[in-house]
Amino acid sequence: MVLGDSLAAGYGVALADSFPQQLERALAAEEVACEVINAGVSGDTSAGGVSRLDWVLSDQPTHLLVELGGNDALRALPVEQLEANLAAIIEGGRDAGASVMLAGMLAPPNLGARYTEAFADVYKRLAERYGVPLYPFFLAGAIDDPALMLEDGIHPNAAGVTVIVERMLPAIRAWLRQPTA
């Protein structure tokens, strides 16, 4: 299950080109039998993820990839709020028996060095505290190449999603192979 925002939902691309769909195809190509459920909602913040968590977990996913925080950053929401929300999602996922992985996000530099550093540190701190895998920056490999992004400069196009999946695949494959508690 991918619990996320527009980056997971597939904003601006065909559903077949969304991150969850491309990830499922990439895993199948490597003979990893895995259904990837898209629980992305455009515009969602980490608080929205918390509010949807019970509904998302009712599908009883074995693994929960959390891709949230981009909209928190775009709204310059307090990093303490982001941390509390992501912690609640990790704990809720674990309580439901799911293995959890964080996909980190970075805040835009116009918010200042102090905010951007504090924002990035949330993901590192939570990964360490809960012992969950962290992919440091979901948009790595795409965000700096305009040919891989939509005109808004925020969302990847289909080719950008492909790059993201290719870059994340080794970490996700390793996570899926870890024994679950």
Side-chain angles (χ1 to χ4, degrees):
M1 173 92 55
V2 181
L3 175 62
D5 51 33
S6 57
L7 299 174
Y11 176 85
V13 300
L15 182 59
D17 292 326
S18 68
F19 175 79
Q21 294 292 67
Q22 287 201 40
L23 177 60
E24 185 173 312
R25 287 194 304 273
L27 289 166
E30 294 193 1
E31 298 182 6
V32 178
C34 182
E35 177 187 7
V36 181
I37 301 168
N38 188 342
V41 172
S42 291
D44 218 356
T45 61
S46 61
V50 171
S51 70
R52 295 188 298 117
L53 189 60
D54 288 341
W55 171 76
V56 166
L57 294 173
S58 69
D59 281 342
Q60 300 178 319
T62 59
H63 292 76
L64 182 67
L65 175 59
V66 181
E67 176 280 307
L68 286 166
N71 290 311
D72 295 66
L74 291 174
R75 297 173 188 169
L77 297 175
V79 295
E80 299 80 13
Q81 181 182 34
L82 172 69
E83 186 163 1
N85 291 335
L86 291 177
I89 291 169
I90 293 168
E91 291 172 8
R94 284 185 157 180
D95 289 349
S99 175
V100 179
M101 179 177 181
L102 284 175
M105 185 51 58
L106 299 177
N110 66 308
L111 296 174
R114 195 172 358 175
Y115 184 86
T116 57
E117 288 172 22
F119 193 92
D121 287 345
V122 164
Y123 294 92
K124 296 174 197 168
R125 202 167 33 252
L126 290 172
E128 189 174 296
R129 181 186 322 157
Y130 290 101
V132 299
L134 169 65
Y135 185 79
F137 182 39
F138 182 81
L139 291 170
I143 191 79
D144 292 330
D145 185 346
L148 298 175
M149 300 296 290
L150 297 176
E151 287 185 17
D152 65 10
I154 297 171
H155 299 93
N157 59 28
V161 174
T162 300
V163 168
I164 292 166
V165 168
E166 288 170 355
R167 290 179 68 123
M168 287 186 74
L169 192 58
I172 291 173
R173 191 175 45 240
W175 170 53
L176 292 174
R177 290 184 176 146
Q178 290 177 350
T180 55

